[in-house]
Amino acid sequence: MKPSFKPGVLLLCLALVAAAGCAHRAPAVAADAPAPEAHIVPLPRSIQTHPGELRLSAVAVEGGNAAPMAARALAELLATLRLATAEAATPVRLQRVDDAALGEEGYRLEVGGAIELSARTDTGLLYAVQSLRQLLPAQAAPEYRLPRMTITDVPAYRWRGVSLDVARSFLPIEYLEKHIDRMALFKLNRLHLHLTDDQGWRIEIRRHPQLVQVGGASAVAGGRAGYYTQEQLKRLVAYAQARGVTVVPEIDMPGHVQAALASYNELACRDVANLSPYSGVEVGFSVLCLDKPDVVYPFVRDVLEEVAAIFPSTEIHIGGDEIRHPLYADFVGRAAAMVDAMGRTPILWEEGSVADLKPGALLQLWNDGYAIDAAVARGHALILSPCSYLYIDHGNYAGQPGADWCRAGGVPLARVYAFDPTPFRTAVGVEAALWTEFVHGEAAADERLWPRLAAVAEVAWSPAGQRGYDGFVRRMGALRPQLDALGVQYHAEPDLGWADAKDAR
Ligand code: TNX
């Protein structure tokens, strides 16, 4: 945001310069300056602007010890903006306050003579820093101006997620780290990794090493093979944790398992002829041999135990989509019970609702019209990923090459934004899904993810009755330099005035 040129102020200053020396030092607060507009995505619950602004050229950080995540993010922000720290400079205070109204993730951000960030938790303070980051420019400048204001902000939903399908086409750890940085800027907090599918098995399981030796070597045609070691995943988990993001692993079972069958043929039933690695895009053909419980259940237990040891997330996703089998419900019930016994909460795709599950199990809705009411009545909470709004493997615009099975017109930015979670009374939040049958590589992933994930963030954070697309477009349009600074190869979205951007792909 550029300070606007005020000839009147300049003339007044020139007139006073001899007497008062006002050209030597900018006043700490210029009450007559126009307050720059606050561009924050997701939209905060309340923003009160006060007259005047705060000018910043150096800061004094206080209270970082009580909030390590927030302090780290603040230090990174100050370094990016080359904002020096000095004892007598403008205070930036991080403080933990006992204000129940802020919940676990809410915060208050006050810009007055100082910058005061308050929250009950480190997470809340981290979000206060992210809002401050969006209020400031993305690049270093000699001085910064902030409108005086009070922001009070609390998210509508606790689950604000995105899933990446690294099974069809692998994405390297370095990309996932970058992706976590970008999620954090928009207060997205769940990274669901779809780690296994027909086309690839991406997570090292030490008791079954061929899963990655064989299953890690295949990918969808045109996609990328590869796998993560357990050490790499543990480091990724820590990287994400330090940025307020929980990595949620998914092992998709009992279907979508051709890569596992190709690695360990005994997991398949005897009549299965095709045990080769798979690189097509069909779904629903492979299944663990549920008639061999002595083979299948010890395998499932081994895998889940190693997964649980890598990922400390409360939830573990065990898939359960797109397979018909007489023993399906029995399998899902048993696999979910294993996750329960490990002290974790199972997540299942919506079809898992036919199984006998504890009411605490989470269900992830993906077909818009799926009959989920009975499961909701039994107490199941929902993660909302209705494909016609949140399957961002679909086009940014009608006709963009790629998936279109759910919605022929694609899932444009405005469509994502139009999703209203409120009719789902047990929803814990929303999650967009990037499937990768047709999205190979990092530039292509960026182009599908952004700017649509910013809309996902706002749908999950800001109450439906308060937000609106016009305001989102204005605020997000202004945040383009933030995405540029993070090196995001976003879609050239015309609604945001970004049509001049070079579309990767
Ligand atoms: C459906 S969503 C799938 C995925 C595909 C996706 C493609 C779900 C639980 N299953 O296996 O990749 O559609 O859009």
Side-chain angles (χ1 to χ4, degrees):
M1 225 171 298
K2 283 211 188 88
S4 60
F5 177 63
K6 283 251 170 178
V9 175
L10 184 65
L11 287 174
L12 180 67
C13 221
L14 288 173
L16 294 175
V17 72
C22 77
H24 296 307
R25 199 140 54 88
V29 173
D32 57 348
E37 204 193 343
H39 294 117
I40 299 181
V41 173
L43 180 68
R45 192 66 62 103
S46 124
I47 304 184
Q48 287 172 276
T49 49
H50 312 304
E53 64 176 359
L54 173 68
R55 295 185 175 215
L56 279 182
S57 49
V59 296
V61 178
E62 298 171 18
N65 293 348
M69 276 197 298
R72 200 204 58 78
L74 181 59
E76 202 172 276
L77 174 63
L78 300 181
T80 305
L81 297 183
R82 289 195 226 107
L83 254 169
T85 51
E87 257 176 43
T90 310
V92 178
R93 292 195 191 98
L94 297 166
Q95 48 211 353
R96 303 276 287 257
V97 294
D98 189 19
D99 181 349
L102 296 178
E104 292 305 297
E105 298 188 288
Y107 67 90
R108 206 169 4 258
L109 167 54
E110 290 178 88
V111 181
I115 299 176
E116 313 261 0
L117 315 181
S118 327
R120 292 180 68 201
T121 62
D122 191 8
T123 307
L125 285 168
L126 171 68
Y127 295 147
V129 173
Q130 298 299 4
S131 289
L132 178 62
R133 185 173 162 201
Q134 292 190 356
L135 289 170
L136 290 162
Q139 306 285 356
E143 190 194 43
Y144 302 95
R145 302 165 71 208
L146 285 171
R148 285 180 165 234
M149 64 169 97
T150 305
I151 297 177
T152 308
D153 200 7
V154 180
Y157 292 99
R158 71 173 178 86
W159 193 286
R160 303 179 298 277
V162 52
S163 78
L164 295 181
D165 171 7
V166 293
R168 271 57 178 263
S169 187
F170 182 70
L171 289 165
I173 289 280
E174 300 72 43
Y175 181 78
L176 299 184
E177 289 181 354
K178 268 197 293 191
H179 179 67
I180 287 164
D181 293 338
R182 297 158 179 188
M183 287 175 67
L185 177 62
F186 294 94
K187 307 183 179 87
L188 291 163
N189 67 352
R190 293 290 187 285
L191 175 57
H192 164 180
L193 292 181
H194 184 75
L195 289 164
T196 68
D197 212 301
D198 291 313
Q199 298 84 347
W201 184 286
R202 309 291 176 216
I203 173 175
E204 177 194 19
I205 300 295
R206 293 197 178 142
R207 276 173 276 182
H208 301 282
Q210 280 156 227
L211 286 170
V212 290
Q213 286 158 13
V214 177
S218 56
V220 76
R224 190 164 170 177
Y227 67 91
Y228 311 113
T229 66
Q230 297 200 354
E231 287 314 312
Q232 285 178 319
L233 288 169
K234 283 182 186 162
R235 280 200 297 277
L236 183 73
V237 165
Y239 186 93
Q241 248 170 4
R243 289 156 182 80
V245 174
T246 302
V247 184
V248 179
E250 179 189 353
I251 305 295
D252 200 354
M253 306 178 284
H256 288 270
V257 290
Q258 186 67 17
L261 306 187
S263 306
Y264 289 100
N265 294 173
E266 62 273 25
L267 294 170
C269 287
R270 263 172 283 278
D271 59 350
V272 174
N274 177 11
L275 293 167
S276 311
Y278 181 69
S279 61
V281 296
E282 297 307 315
V283 294
F285 62 90
S286 65
V287 64
L288 295 172
C289 186
L290 302 183
D291 303 310
K292 291 202 266 181
D294 299 345
V295 176
V296 163
Y297 289 103
F299 170 79
V300 170
R301 182 183 305 280
D302 285 350
V303 170
L304 290 177
E305 278 176 4
E306 294 196 27
V307 166
I310 299 167
F311 298 95
S313 55
T314 311
E315 292 85 5
I316 293 179
H317 203 310
I318 50 175
D321 58 320
E322 295 180 315
I323 191 74
R324 289 180 189 283
H325 191 286
L327 293 174
Y328 169 80
D330 176 59
F331 173 87
V332 167
R334 290 172 70 164
M338 283 185 204
V339 175
D340 279 323
M342 292 171 191
R344 308 297 183 91
T345 300
I347 308 176
L348 285 145
W349 293 110
E350 61 197 14
E351 298 100 307
S353 59
V354 301
D356 183 17
L357 297 169
K358 287 196 179 167
L362 284 169
L363 296 171
Q364 187 164 6
L365 199 67
W366 62 279
N367 280 294
D368 289 47
Y370 191 83
I372 202 71
D373 290 359
V376 168
R378 290 197 303 278
H380 289 292
L382 303 179
I383 297 167
L384 304 174
S385 305
C387 57
S388 84
Y389 292 93
L390 292 167
Y391 267 28
I392 55 175
D393 60 337
H394 281 54
N396 284 289
Y397 52 89
Q400 184 174 20
D404 66 355
W405 65 267
C406 179
R407 192 166 189 270
V411 181
L413 183 67
R415 172 84 187 171
V416 174
Y417 196 85
F419 181 59
D420 178 8
T422 46
F424 301 90
R425 66 177 176 80
T426 61
V428 293
V430 304
E431 187 178 292
L434 182 64
W435 303 100
T436 56
E437 286 96 332
F438 307 104
V439 181
H440 309 149
E442 302 169 26
D446 271 12
E447 199 270 345
R448 298 276 160 166
L449 291 166
W450 301 101
R452 288 185 289 185
L453 279 189
V456 174
E458 187 148 313
V459 165
W461 182 283
S462 316
Q466 279 186 23
R467 59 183 173 85
Y469 191 58
D470 290 348
F472 170 76
V473 160
R474 209 169 7 85
R475 286 175 285 111
M476 191 57 211
L479 290 176
R480 181 176 178 179
Q482 297 276 357
L483 292 188
D484 286 331
L486 291 170
V488 180
Q489 300 181 70
Y490 46 79
H491 168 60
E493 176 55 55
D495 281 10
L496 298 180
W498 298 357
D500 61 305
K502 199 168 108 349
D503 249 352
R505 263 171 304 156

